[in-house]
């Protein structure tokens, strides 16, 4: 049977699946196959309630140096559009995926690599990570939402700065710009991510999934429709057994506490 995962490596942990881009000798540059394999790995665990989060990272020294530029040499317009559409499929999959996706960025996180991670729910960068959208230097525009998701993430001016200058920035600068959510020492990056997953895993599965769904949907739909969707999601969660159990547990604990003297 042919190997399913050739350019990614899939690691199963107790509460998470780690999808690792696996072309270290090519700086983990992105190919259509990588996009397909990430989509396949997401599909395989999307309904597994034991899997509380997915981590996206890279084997070796780098997250990814972006799309593999070799594939653009002499490429036709149609093939170029098809490549971008494949990345679109991937980022739409990440955004609709019913659990949090954490991108752990290290080494180079450039171009298409960084842009895919912009559709993860969290970006954690190691202290030595270098980030940027340098496509402008070779005369192309970013893909995977680098002109679409990025301004929503960090604001128009900062997104324009990164896209138009192609600047490669440090993790500290990325944190200051809001491009990443945390910067951690290289040596403790994985344990930081596991700790985050541990905290999320204490929360009810359907609630976590609903919160992501409402937040992502509201970014697509705007405030009025988002508020309505938020209200219906609230109604739906209140009818789940887990939420009812947690609410009655809270009330019975606190009504018991209220009979005890508060402060002596
Ligand atoms: N696509 C294809 N090959 C790439 C690549 C990419 N995106 N990025 C790096 N490489 C290759 C280089 O061609 C080189 O290959 P070689 O050893 O066969 O010559 C190798 O990776 C190492 O790159 P090099 O530039 O020699 O190393 P460096 O440490 O000086 O710089 C980078 C590393 C990533 C900063 C630099 O290569 C770079 O800017 N790459 C382009 C990034 C980019 O524009 N990404 C968006 C693409 S759309």
């Amino acid at each position: 049977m042919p190997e399913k995962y050739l350019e990614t490596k899939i690691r199963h942990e107790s509460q998470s699946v780690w999808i690792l881009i696996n072309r270290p000798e090519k700086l983990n540059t992105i190919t259509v196959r990588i996009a397909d394999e990430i989509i396949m790995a997401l599909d395989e665990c999307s309904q597994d309630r034991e899997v509380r989060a997915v981590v996206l990272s890279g084997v070796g020294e780098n997250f990814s140096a972006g799309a593999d530029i070799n594939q653009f040499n002499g490429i036709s317009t149609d093939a170029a559009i098809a490549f971008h559409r494949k990345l679109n499929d991937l980022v739409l999959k990440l955004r609709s995926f019913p659990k949090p996706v954490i991108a752990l960025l290290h080494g180079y996180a450039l171009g298409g690599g960084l842009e895919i991670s912009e559709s993860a729910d969290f970006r954690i960068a190691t202290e030595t990570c270098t980030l940027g959208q340098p496509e402008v230097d070779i005369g192309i525009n970013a893909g995977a939402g680098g002109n679409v998701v990025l301004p929503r993430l960090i604001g128009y001016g900062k997104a324009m700065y990164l896209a138009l200058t192609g600047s490669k920035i440090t993790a500290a600068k990325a944190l200051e710009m809001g491009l990443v959510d945390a910067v951690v020492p290289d040596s403790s990056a994985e344990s930081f991510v596991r700790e985050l997953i541990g905290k999320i895993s204490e929360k009810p599965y359907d609630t976590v999934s609903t919160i992501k769904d409402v937040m992502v949907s509201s970014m697509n739909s705007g405030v009025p429709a988002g508020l309505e969707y938020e209200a219906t999601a609230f109604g739906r969660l209140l009818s789940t057994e887990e939420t009812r159990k947690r609410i009655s547990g809270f009330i019975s604990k606190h009504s018991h506490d209220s009979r005890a003297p508060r402060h002596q």
Side-chain angles (χ1 to χ4, degrees):
M1 193 133 97
E3 188 63 55
K4 274 200 302 188
Y5 293 103
L6 293 177
E7 296 187 355
T8 55
K9 188 171 165 184
I10 312 301
R11 196 164 85 207
H12 293 265
E13 299 204 352
S14 63
Q15 295 164 320
S16 59
V17 170
W18 294 53
I19 304 174
L20 308 171
I21 302 167
N22 189 18
R23 291 178 92 216
E25 68 297 345
K26 300 276 184 196
L27 307 190
N28 286 338
T29 45
I30 306 290
T31 60
V32 166
R33 174 147 201 130
I34 286 177
D36 277 333
E37 290 187 16
I38 298 173
I39 290 171
M40 182 163 65
L42 290 168
D43 283 340
E44 279 179 358
C45 67
S46 72
Q47 300 307 313
D48 183 346
R49 293 174 75 94
E50 300 291 308
V51 177
R52 299 303 313 272
V54 161
V55 181
L56 192 56
S57 195
V59 170
E61 287 173 17
N62 301 290
F63 179 74
S64 168
D68 187 332
I69 296 170
N70 296 310
Q71 65 197 327
F72 302 148
N73 199 11
I75 191 174
S76 70
T77 303
D78 284 351
I81 294 172
F83 177 70
H84 259 220
R85 287 191 176 138
K86 176 60 70 178
L87 298 185
N88 290 350
D89 291 346
L90 170 54
V91 301
L92 291 172
K93 174 71 71 177
L94 290 168
R95 298 171 84 77
S96 63
F97 189 66
K99 1 191 168 227
V101 178
I102 302 165
L104 175 53
L105 309 177
H106 63 293
Y108 289 119
L110 299 175
L114 176 64
E115 290 138 22
I116 290 167
S117 83
E118 289 163 10
S119 284
D121 301 294
F122 304 96
R123 276 156 303 288
I124 313 296
T126 62
E127 279 170 348
T128 57
C129 184
T130 299
L131 306 90
Q133 294 195 175
E135 288 94 335
V136 67
D137 290 337
I138 54 164
I140 58 173
N141 62 307
N147 308 293
V148 180
V149 175
L150 185 67
R152 287 166 168 75
L153 205 57
I154 64 174
Y156 184 84
K158 283 181 273 189
M160 275 300 230
Y161 172 80
L162 288 180
L164 296 186
T165 65
S167 297
K168 296 186 178 87
I169 60 171
T170 61
K173 182 72 183 167
L175 183 64
E176 188 191 309
M177 292 177 93
L179 180 55
V180 299
D181 305 297
V183 176
V184 293
D186 294 54
S187 58
S188 54
E190 291 202 353
S191 49
F192 181 91
V193 169
R194 284 191 193 99
E195 207 175 302
L196 175 60
I197 295 168
K199 281 185 189 156
I200 294 168
S201 301
E202 289 166 11
K203 312 302 176 200
Y205 184 97
D206 292 318
T207 309
V208 168
S209 161
T210 298
I211 289 169
K212 171 167 175 174
D213 181 33
V214 172
M215 283 213 200
V216 172
S217 304
S218 77
M219 280 193 271
N220 298 336
S221 68
V223 172
L227 289 172
E228 180 52 28
Y229 193 56
E230 188 178 56
T232 56
F234 180 69
R236 219 173 36 243
L237 280 179
L238 275 162
S239 69
T240 65
E241 203 181 314
E242 175 68 25
T243 296
R244 286 187 173 163
K245 203 171 79 191
R246 286 187 176 232
I247 289 173
S248 60
F250 179 92
I251 291 170
S252 63
K253 178 171 179 283
H254 287 79
S255 59
H256 178 262
D257 286 353
S258 68
R259 286 196 297 272
R262 281 184 184 264
H263 297 289
Q264 295 292 345

